[in-house]
Amino acid sequence: MERPSTPPRQASAVTSSRTSSVARPRPASPPTPQVTRRIEESRLRAKALRDQREAEERSAGVPPVPRTDSGFVATDDIQLAGPAGRKRPYTSISRAQVPPTNRDARTSPANDGAAAQAAATGDLRPLSRKFTKYVDYNFSAMTDTKGGFLSVEDDPWSKSMSAGGPGPGAGTGQPEGDQKPAHMTAAEWERLQLIRNLQRNKSGPYEPGLSVLADEKTRKKCRECGNLEIDFVWEEVFGCAVCGGCKEKYPEKYSLLTKTEAREDYLLTEPELKDPELLPHLSKPNPHKSHWHDMMLFLRYQVEEYAFGQKWGSAEALDAEFERRETDKKRRKEAKFKEKLLDLKRKTRTETFRRNTGKADGGMGGGKATKFGDTVGGGGKHVHEWGRTVENAEGLTVKTCLSCSMEVEELEF
C-alpha cells in the first residue's frame, strides 16, 4: 500500500496486456475561508471603484453606459436586447424595418408607403393581427350617459332622485330630513324625530289651541264641552272642533264610517262619497292588505246630515227607499228563479217526449232509435197538428199538438 504524501502524487499510467487505464486528475479541494474572504474583499473593492468612476462621469456630464440589473455591459459576447429570453426592441418588428425582399401578402406597396410615412411621423403600429380592430377611446372627452337611466341632470325637480340641494340627504334620493346628519348622535336624532312628529300632528306643546300667543277670541274650542284641547287633525280634515273625550262620549255622532257602510246603510253613491267638498273623508292605510287602496273614513253626523237633510229628506224616507229596494231585489230574484225553472221544465218535456217516442217505435219497429219529429208508431215523418192557443194556469200562452200532445210556448205581440 502506497503511503500518502502532501501534495498527493499523480497517478501513473498502468499498462497491462489486456486493459489500459488513463490517469484522471483528482478534484480540487474547496477554497479555504481565508481565500473566500480575500475574493469577497476584492469584489467589493472593484464594485466601489466602479461606482466612484460612474459618479465622476455623471458629475462631468458623460452619459452612463447601459447596463443590466446584474451590472453587465453590452459587448460582442453580451447582448442587452437579444432573442435569448429578452424582449426585442419595437423598431425590430415595425413596418419601417421590413426588408424589401420580404414577400408578405398582407402588405402592399401602397401600405408600405403609408407605413414609411407613419414611421417618419412617429405613429407606428404593430404588425400583429389582434391589434387591427383595436380602438383607442379618449375617456376624458366622453359623456357619461348614466347607462340610459334618468339622473338628476335630466329631471332636477324630481323628489325621488334628488333632495334638491346640499345637505345630509343630497344625492341619495331621499329628502334631507329622512337621514341622520353625521354630526348628530342617535339620541339627538330620536328627539328631533319626536319633535317633528308632534309638529306634524299638532299635539303636545304644539297644539294651536294651547298657544299663549293666540287670541282668546280666536281660539277654537270643543263644540260639546268647550275644551281647548281639541283634535286638530279632525278640525283640519272634517272641520269639526271636538276633543278626545267627547268623541268617546258621543259615538252616535263622532264615530267614523267606512265607505262601504255609508254606501249600503245610507244609500249614497260613489260620486257623492268621492266629493271632498260634499263629504270630507280621512284616508288611512288599509288594515287588511297593505297594497290595497287606503280606507275612506267619514264622520257619522256629517253623513247623516247630508243623507237625512238633503238627499232623502228624513230617516223615514230613507227607510222607505231601503224597503223598496229590498222588495225590488227580492222580486227580481224570484223572477230569475222562475225563469230558470220554466227552462228546466221545457227541457224535461222535450226529453220525456223523445224517450216515449223511442219506446213506442222500439216496440213496433224492432228497437230502432227514433229522432225528434218522427211519427209516433212509425209510418214516416210526423207533422204536428196544433190546436188553439190557450193560456195555462201559470199564465203562459201555449198550444198543443192534437196527435202527439206536445206543448210549445207561443208569444203574442
Side-chain angles (χ1 to χ4, degrees), residues 290-305:
S290 60
H291 60 275
W292 286 1
H293 290 289
D294 293 346
M295 289 194 307
M296 298 175 61
L297 302 178
F298 300 88
L299 202 55
R300 182 180 293 273
Y301 87 91
Q302 293 181 351
V303 175
E304 291 181 354
E305 285 181 358

Side-chain angles (χ1 to χ4, degrees), residues 55-73:
E56 292 176 356
E57 291 177 356
R58 284 195 300 269
S59 62
V62 179
V65 179
R67 298 174 181 273
T68 62
D69 296 338
S70 302
F72 293 98
V73 184

Side-chain angles (χ1 to χ4, degrees), residues 95-105 107 112:
R95 292 181 182 272
Q97 301 295 332
V98 177
T101 58
N102 183 22
R103 302 187 62 178
D104 191 356
T107 60
D112 293 343

Side-chain angles (χ1 to χ4, degrees), residues 4-9:
S5 61
T6 304
R9 299 177 183 179

Side-chain angles (χ1 to χ4, degrees), residues 7 38 105:
R38 287 198 301 269

